[in-house]
Amino acid sequence: MAGSEFGTIFRVTTWGESHGKAIGAVVDGCPAGLSLCEADIQACLDRRKPGQSRYTTARAEGDQVEILSGVFEGKTTGTPISMIIRNQDQRSRDYGNLMEVYRPGHADYTFDLKYGFRDYRGGGRSSGRETAGRVAAGAVAAKLLESLGIRVRAYTSSIGGISIDRNRFSWEEMEKNRLYMPDRKAAEQAEKLLEQRMAEKDSVGGVVECLIMGMPVGVGEPVFEKLDACLAKAIMSIGAVKGVEIGDGFLAAKSCGSANNDGFYMDGNKVKKHTNHSGGILGGMSDGSEIRIRAAFKPTPSIARPQQTVTRSGDDTEIAITGRHDPVIVPRAVVVVESMAALTAADLLLQSMTSRLDRIQKFFSL
Amino acid sequence: MAGSEFGTIFRVTTWGESHGKAIGAVVDGCPAGLSLCEADIQACLDRRKPGQSRYTTARAEGDQVEILSGVFEGKTTGTPISMIIRNQDQRSRDYGNLMEVYRPGHADYTFDLKYGFRDYRGGGRSSGRETAGRVAAGAVAAKLLESLGIRVRAYTSSIGGISIDRNRFSWEEMEKNRLYMPDRKAAEQAEKLLEQRMAEKDSVGGVVECLIMGMPVGVGEPVFEKLDACLAKAIMSIGAVKGVEIGDGFLAAKSCGSANNDGFYMDGNKVKKHTNHSGGILGGMSDGSEIRIRAAFKPTPSIARPQQTVTRSGDDTEIAITGRHDPVIVPRAVVVVESMAALTAADLLLQSMTSRLDRIQKFFSL
Amino acid sequence: MAGSEFGTIFRVTTWGESHGKAIGAVVDGCPAGLSLCEADIQACLDRRKPGQSRYTTARAEGDQVEILSGVFEGKTTGTPISMIIRNQDQRSRDYGNLMEVYRPGHADYTFDLKYGFRDYRGGGRSSGRETAGRVAAGAVAAKLLESLGIRVRAYTSSIGGISIDRNRFSWEEMEKNRLYMPDRKAAEQAEKLLEQRMAEKDSVGGVVECLIMGMPVGVGEPVFEKLDACLAKAIMSIGAVKGVEIGDGFLAAKSCGSANNDGFYMDGNKVKKHTNHSGGILGGMSDGSEIRIRAAFKPTPSIARPQQTVTRSGDDTEIAITGRHDPVIVPRAVVVVESMAALTAADLLLQSMTSRLDRIQKFFSL
Amino acid sequence: MAGSEFGTIFRVTTWGESHGKAIGAVVDGCPAGLSLCEADIQACLDRRKPGQSRYTTARAEGDQVEILSGVFEGKTTGTPISMIIRNQDQRSRDYGNLMEVYRPGHADYTFDLKYGFRDYRGGGRSSGRETAGRVAAGAVAAKLLESLGIRVRAYTSSIGGISIDRNRFSWEEMEKNRLYMPDRKAAEQAEKLLEQRMAEKDSVGGVVECLIMGMPVGVGEPVFEKLDACLAKAIMSIGAVKGVEIGDGFLAAKSCGSANNDGFYMDGNKVKKHTNHSGGILGGMSDGSEIRIRAAFKPTPSIARPQQTVTRSGDDTEIAITGRHDPVIVPRAVVVVESMAALTAADLLLQSMTSRLDRIQKFFSL
């Protein structure tokens, strides 16, 4: 089966491997008339770019995006938007020893058995590099959402168990530190932890939180295509994500109904909620509150410490993964989470246009 | 958009409301030649049936399934399997007062805005009753998986914060207690908590764990259609689920690479892993270990305690939800989680057949 | 793969075999608020009902439809509309001898090899009876289209080579004669031909034409999801259809550009075309003119005359198919063609709502 | 909606406009292990290249394909195969006058109303140039089919009403003449007709026939996803196609059952048919005979003769389309028909692998 496509109406197909000629994405189903240029996409790609600090890989990916189709005179035309990013600094020799050995925590073993062989120069299609295509497409989705008054923003909420303090939350601070943590003190502690783990040739995991603001009520379909279900798939499809929560998530499992239900009240002629334990989604449909998603990332599997593993030919061995690898994936994953949330929100928003005959009748008489 | 369909090759469409004439499911894409009868499906439906204990609603749903198509002389024919369950004990008068008031924690408000009106006799399509269709379809998927050596099993792992002790884990015990907890002591404590919450006119949440055993290596697609991503969507699409974890889930975010990676070793000529932090999935593909999923359920939103809310016409009001409602959803949800996991596993297993040309060539020369 | 589903946004799943308990359809994605009752659907089903004349089978199918879900207080709710038609007069003994012999022109042989066995009591899923589900779903689509000012109408344009004369075209006459031919003289000639073929234990084919009137400009997507491409699939998926034409069809292949191009002109402030060789579709998108489709039906394959064939076990043999069979499929197929055209038009119409950002912005500020 | 994607398991997304930077295709779902190189694809692209004779446009498109992903060491890896063809000779000035005027027979008017504006430099996404992406993807599908013993071949069967004589049919001749007609005499007559039409500043249409040979029995799904229905959509989605036939097509509508049914007989232990009126498909599934498809192409709409039309601003006007345009589309369309047939066949062939449990069980125990 395919599997490199996401979305029903607003749809993206990504392609490309870590050590191939290029990677890219094709966005099909973006409405015509949206202002779009390469700088819009580049801004997002730059946020996932490595080499920004000593906690991200030194490899200079460059990642200059080129729009090949679907935009004319600065606006989308309604036809597929094809975007390409040439791979530059491939240095495949760094990975040569991986030809015969399966790296623990990676897709080497499963990929090899599924397809019969694999691009042993790196993670290939299962590399984190694959997410560049998601980010390019997500930038288009985010632009579309913004034109409709909807914003998606994510940040690092914890690294290696060090969490932000909600009382110190600051969007401004988040932009400043390279870990994308909206709490300076937590960021400083996390940096210390990272230094320590790097010295130990080890790595850490963390949590990303994402908010969708301004979503109209009623987006998401009530059974299998629930907004939260689609978000869960979108986020869990990012390599290294092991858990997804909406609103209170696992905490809700320990709560009781009287505490967890969000009471409604009237604010003028608007329906509001006293609390937002639901994370902005009721019955799989947006409820008008901020949508809140959390994603758990596992520690970077590539570590310089020796690990037990096996060879393709079936012998026990050890491996120590040298080369450039982030001791933590999370900071670079922030924009990837945002992108997947934006792609999901854009697709379900467009899908929601056909739910009511009265609105459809008005639309066709516009 | 549609939204009542799940799966690509092994596909189910469910239909029906809590207070309509019937509910049902159509399974399309089930291979021909599978032994199947109504008793296979009834056994699963009976596990989600209410009225089994004082913690589940007294309402006698009956839920007798009838197979209308797709089975001939005891075997599936490869054509759609249509299953119907007539609604019997509807007592719509119990719900009459809900016509004008939005219940907190329910889909009443979002449904009303999305569709312009709703079936005010109950939850309608957003009722927990909708899951009967999932369970009927899941029973077919489970039967298919079993014929290929794969088993799916779920259980309650915690209720209201009371968790099972892994050292006391017992499948036998799980079958015995009505909470489906595989630990007698935890089950007894949970029962006490439930008594207390019922007395307080309140409700609790909990966690369901699900295992998929015997899955061949390489099932799941490496980018958007990852096995874990598809499972996350499947599970999160169950009403009341607020979080999903694969393997160590959110714990992995606090771990370090050296601890979280599962080292490989040879066991005879088989590749095995020393640990299973990954929960049986690497790079979105099954790795041959047991697949482990956890789902967080929020407390039942229907509680007899008064709650603040608003009316359709925009006035503040209070509501106390009387009638029959489970103080906890979790025990009845166990088979629903199993069903969604089975549907996902069956679909991706069939999809995985086209990944390698050498196997396809062998298949067509069989 | 599945295969019993049609459409993307307005979606139908059909199920059921000729000799099973029932047949039915589930329509998912119909907008909420459409007036709908069983009589709307029954009216369409009655048009495909057999036993209306001596040219259609005497078998009393009855075909009483029951709506099981998705309609509340006379209006669609936006949730799946499940419809069921119980099979009554099955007389499976008529078909008993077909267990071992493949009928020429039928799906017996291909079905058997594809699935390993088949429901030998009749055509099973490949029976013409399958189209009842299409007609039930098509009735919903037609109702939706009408609420938006769009009409779909089909008629018999030729039987066994006897074609209607455009100069004698009369919708009124079509309703009167049982062949659904809008030309009384042609209908009389066709009846004579049918008598003759029946006497010869033979059957004939024919052509159905279908018009879609009132479609707004721009429905259909410009590459693979062209309106004409989707219509072609929809119509060709009806058993016995061997050819589909849009507008001038195969005649266009003999024409020249100056004759075949439809020149535009202004009629007040409206763009009109001098001619309609294109059949209302340009570049895969509706052009505002009447959409014209033609479908060629092969002769009924079930004939009482002996034919050469083989048995399941691989022996040459002869077969003469007795029992009740229409000498021509076409009159009963008229409403089936209409149904498939309506399903396609409804789906693409809803899809077309997301093509322009300016309209989407207006929609969300309604 | 999207609309630039085709297929379910073997899936292609195409992108690009006539006057943009490049065009391309992404094939997702191609099995791993297929030998593939750029020359395989180039060979097919060269067959649709213009400038091969005086009946095809002089514009030097070049059309050098580059594979960007999905192939490693000469074999497909199972990941998306991205192919790009840079546009070279764009000369957008030739088309400048089309900014304000709708060309009859083209998508200018419908595109403009659907999307609100359009790339006025040429046909944009609705240009025939779009088919280069189909051919690139079709080349991959054809290679896959060949590795499984299946061949797809098309040819011109008539131009402007001049048809080949089956008695003079020659594959060798087809390769020789630039009209791809397998009958030298017909080709010579057609050339004369083309000269005449060119002198008259006019154009002609024609018919392409396509054969699929070696398809196993049982490919295609019995209801909506019939092999013939999917082929009809695939072929009708090619711009300028106005009709599609399978087997005898519209002739079957004039035939009678005794003549049209293909009797079966045993040839050793193989089931064969005396005739092939069905065109190799029974009940939507391949029957083991040669699959036969015919496609009617309308005359090239771009003609130098003046035509009546209107401007964007709503005024009547005339247009004469100068510049380089084929007087007939058909010869270049032959490989496009082949490509669409190959894409359809490959997708349904892979889908057919899951129809029988006994075969699936064998597959997983391989």
Side-chain angles (χ1 to χ4, degrees), chain C residues 124-137:
Chain C
R125 187 70 182 142
S126 292
S127 161
R129 180 137 186 79
E130 168 261 316
T131 59
R134 301 177 183 233
V135 172

Side-chain angles (χ1 to χ4, degrees), chain A residues 1-6 8 12 14 102-107 109-116 125-126 130 134 159-161 197 202-207 217-226 228-230 232-233 236-239 241-246 249-250 252-258 260-266 271 274 277-279 281-283 285-287 294-301 303 305 307-310 314-316 340 351-352 354-356 359, chain B residues 1-6 8 12 14 102-107 109-116 125-126 130 134 159-161 197 202-207 217-226 228-230 232-233 236-239 241-246 249-250 252-258 260-266 271 274 277-279 281-283 285-287 294-301 303 305 307-310 314-316 340 351-352 354-356 359:
Chain A
M1 232 296 285
S4 284
E5 298 176 1
F6 186 83
T8 296
V12 59
T14 65
Y102 297 133
R103 292 170 298 170
H106 278 277
Y109 171 61
T110 51
F111 205 101
D112 213 357
L113 264 75
K114 184 179 188 77
Y115 295 107
R125 187 71 183 141
S126 292
E130 168 260 316
R134 299 177 185 235
I159 284 186
R197 289 287 176 267
D202 213 335
S203 62
V204 296
V207 175
V217 181
V219 173
E221 305 301 312
V223 183
F224 298 115
E225 299 296 318
K226 286 186 166 83
D228 34 4
C230 292
K233 180 177 183 177
M236 192 71 97
S237 79
I238 303 169
V241 172
K242 301 303 288 183
V244 177
E245 295 181 317
I246 302 294
F250 277 84
K254 297 182 179 171
S255 185
C256 56
S258 60
N260 187 68
N261 284 346
D262 302 315
F264 292 108
Y265 70 97
M266 297 305 303
V271 174
H274 291 290
H277 298 292
S278 77
I281 303 176
L282 280 172
M285 296 166 277
S286 54
D287 69 11
R294 299 176 81 237
F297 284 81
K298 71 176 186 182
T300 316
I303 53 175
R305 207 183 269 209
Q307 302 176 78
Q308 289 183 36
T309 190
V310 298
D315 294 308
D316 286 308
M340 291 311 300
Q351 287 185 38
S352 77
T354 60
S355 63
R356 294 171 62 158
R359 290 185 184 159
Chain B
M1 231 298 284
S4 284
E5 297 177 3
F6 187 83
T8 296
V12 58
T14 66
Y102 296 133
R103 292 169 298 170
H106 277 277
Y109 170 61
T110 50
F111 205 101
D112 214 358
L113 264 74
K114 183 179 188 77
Y115 295 108
R125 188 70 182 140
S126 292
E130 168 260 316
R134 300 177 184 234
I159 284 185
R197 289 289 176 266
D202 213 335
S203 63
V204 297
V207 175
V217 180
V219 173
E221 304 301 313
V223 183
F224 297 116
E225 300 296 319
K226 285 185 166 83
D228 34 4
C230 292
K233 180 177 183 178
M236 192 71 98
S237 79
I238 303 170
V241 172
K242 302 302 289 182
V244 178
E245 295 181 316
I246 301 294
F250 277 84
K254 297 182 179 170
S255 184
C256 56
S258 59
N260 188 67
N261 284 347
D262 302 315
F264 292 108
Y265 69 98
M266 297 305 303
V271 173
H274 290 291
H277 299 290
S278 77
I281 302 176
L282 280 172
M285 296 166 277
S286 54
D287 69 12
R294 300 175 81 237
F297 284 81
K298 72 177 186 181
T300 316
I303 53 175
R305 208 183 268 209
Q307 302 177 78
Q308 289 183 35
T309 190
V310 298
D315 294 310
D316 286 309
M340 293 309 301
Q351 287 183 41
S352 76
T354 60
S355 63
R356 293 170 64 157
R359 290 185 184 158

Side-chain angles (χ1 to χ4, degrees), chain A residues 122-270:
Chain A
R125 187 71 183 141
S126 292
S127 161
R129 180 134 186 81
E130 168 260 316
T131 59
R134 299 177 185 235
V135 172
V140 182
K143 198 90 201 283
L144 173 63
L145 291 172
E146 271 162 40
S147 80
L148 295 160
I150 300 162
R151 274 198 82 190
V152 184
R153 292 196 73 180
Y155 51 86
T156 304
S157 78
S158 95
I159 284 186
I162 296 165
S163 297
I164 57 166
D165 181 333
R166 307 272 158 199
N167 298 318
R168 286 195 298 262
F169 191 101
S170 156
W171 286 114
E172 212 181 318
E173 173 58 33
M174 188 200 80
E175 305 286 356
K176 271 192 260 172
N177 72 69
R178 304 312 323 189
L179 300 176
Y180 291 103
M181 285 185 108
D183 169 359
R184 192 202 296 207
K185 205 169 153 196
E188 286 168 0
Q189 290 174 326
E191 293 203 15
K192 269 183 212 143
L193 179 69
L194 283 170
E195 297 288 341
Q196 191 187 325
R197 289 287 176 267
M198 285 172 81
E200 295 163 3
K201 300 186 176 181
D202 213 335
S203 62
V204 296
V207 175
V208 173
E209 286 184 6
C210 183
L211 309 178
I212 307 177
M213 294 160 282
M215 192 71 127
V217 181
V219 173
E221 305 301 312
V223 183
F224 298 115
E225 299 296 318
K226 286 186 166 83
L227 177 52
D228 34 4
C230 292
L231 285 167
K233 180 177 183 177
I235 304 299
M236 192 71 97
S237 79
I238 303 169
V241 172
K242 301 303 288 183
V244 177
E245 295 181 317
I246 302 294
D248 283 6
F250 277 84
L251 275 181
K254 297 182 179 171
S255 185
C256 56
S258 60
N260 187 68
N261 284 346
D262 302 315
F264 292 108
Y265 70 97
M266 297 305 303
D267 180 14
N269 64 353
K270 294 207 123 188

Side-chain angles (χ1 to χ4, degrees), chain A residues 36-69:
Chain A
L36 188 75
C37 64
E38 283 161 0
D40 293 323
I41 293 148
Q42 195 63 48
C44 290
L45 283 171
D46 288 348
R47 286 171 60 204
R48 77 167 279 291
K49 201 162 60 177
Q52 298 174 329
S53 73
R54 47 187 316 247
Y55 311 122
T56 56
T57 66
R59 175 175 163 184
E61 290 193 9
D63 281 3
Q64 289 299 314
V65 71
E66 184 184 5
I67 297 177
L68 296 169
S69 68

